[in-house]
Amino acid sequence: METREGADSIRRRLRRERAALSDACLREHSRSICEHARRCLRWLRPGTLAGYFGIRGEIDLTPLLIQQARAGVRIAMPVLDRHRTGRMHFRSWHPGEALCRNAFAIPEPCPAARRIWRREITAVLVPLVAFDAQGHRIGMGGGYYDRYFARRRLGQSRRPRLIGVAHDFQQVAGIAAQPWDVRLDGVITESGWQFFSAD
């Protein structure tokens, strides 16, 4: 589905809206989303869950990740690849472990942490700037998640469930999909969670 507003315009607009959220609103949305995610993950039963550390208005998933780790789920977090520009991979993280800062000042596991390979990840909580009802996503613009989870590299049957995490207002009427885009399997907002058709 095409949208009159281009991806760059949507990205700028929604990043401004997200950054303008009050601390109280962000805390409440984060609390609700973590609760919805707990119920969703009870159904998905991931052995290894990939998350992220939220910045600049993104949902704070830390309480959820701590709870999942205590329940025996292995946690993987994204790390910028220091040797390949525009690439990322995942490393293990345990609550309380020291973190390093990447080139964007985002916390990530330090290089000594164990690398987690694609085939090991069951479900991924994916940050985003916008999403639509078909599971298309606009990210920050770097293409990291699309490259990492590209179907041609994994095969659809081996790809983990990709679950977007967003505020309700980040849903848009439609996003013009590009050939390299990897669709979300579902999304969680403060209102609840939904899965998208594979069609």
Side-chain angles (χ1 to χ4, degrees), residues 7-60:
D8 288 341
S9 176
I10 291 172
R11 185 179 290 114
R12 286 191 298 271
R13 176 173 60 81
L14 291 180
R15 285 183 67 183
R16 283 195 304 269
E17 289 185 34
R18 193 173 62 185
L21 289 172
S22 69
D23 290 344
C25 182
L26 180 57
R27 282 193 301 270
E28 180 56 28
H29 286 189
S30 295
R31 185 200 61 75
S32 295
I33 287 169
C34 285
E35 184 55 40
H36 292 311
R38 283 188 195 96
R39 290 195 288 271
C40 177
L41 292 171
R42 279 201 293 268
W43 178 68
L44 289 177
R45 300 174 63 185
T48 300
L49 172 67
Y52 65 90
F53 293 111
I55 60 167
R56 295 187 290 275
E58 290 178 336
I59 298 301
D60 179 13

Side-chain angles (χ1 to χ4, degrees), residues 79 82 89 91-93 97-101 107-115:
V79 174
R82 298 179 181 202
H89 56 269
R91 291 190 181 275
S92 66
W93 176 74
E97 285 185 342
L99 295 166
C100 295
R101 297 268 174 178
E108 63 181 26
C110 295
R114 180 184 179 277
R115 184 162 180 169

Side-chain angles (χ1 to χ4, degrees), residues 78-197:
V79 174
L80 293 188
D81 196 310
R82 298 179 181 202
H83 305 291
R84 297 187 302 162
T85 302
R87 302 283 179 166
M88 72 174 191
H89 56 269
F90 287 83
R91 291 190 181 275
S92 66
W93 176 74
H94 301 280
E97 285 185 342
L99 295 166
C100 295
R101 297 268 174 178
N102 64 28
F104 300 112
I106 300 170
E108 63 181 26
C110 295
R114 180 184 179 277
R115 184 162 180 169
I116 305 294
W117 301 96
R118 292 178 189 85
R119 64 182 176 273
E120 300 177 77
I121 301 172
T122 315
V124 186
L125 298 174
V126 183
L128 56 86
V129 176
F131 70 96
D132 68 14
Q134 287 71 49
H136 300 119
R137 160 187 174 273
I138 294 175
M140 293 292 281
Y144 290 94
Y145 281 82
D146 290 322
R147 278 190 291 273
Y148 191 84
F149 292 108
R151 287 179 174 84
R152 68 179 181 277
R153 301 189 65 176
L154 280 173
Q156 181 64 21
S157 63
R158 298 189 64 187
R159 186 173 66 80
R161 294 287 187 114
L162 303 181
I163 311 300
V165 178
H167 306 277
D168 280 334
F169 69 79
Q170 291 176 264
Q171 183 167 2
V172 297
I175 293 170
Q178 302 299 324
W180 55 83
D181 288 342
V182 177
R183 286 180 64 213
L184 299 170
D185 296 295
V187 69
I188 303 172
T189 71
E190 67 269 24
S191 294
W193 53 277
Q194 60 179 305
F195 278 89
F196 304 117
S197 167

Side-chain angles (χ1 to χ4, degrees), residues 62-89:
T62 307
L64 172 72
L65 298 175
I66 292 171
Q67 180 268 328
Q68 291 291 300
R70 288 175 176 165
V73 176
R74 183 166 56 174
I75 304 299
M77 301 298 276
V79 174
L80 293 188
D81 196 310
R82 298 179 181 202
H83 305 291
R84 297 187 302 162
T85 302
R87 302 283 179 166
M88 72 174 191
H89 56 269

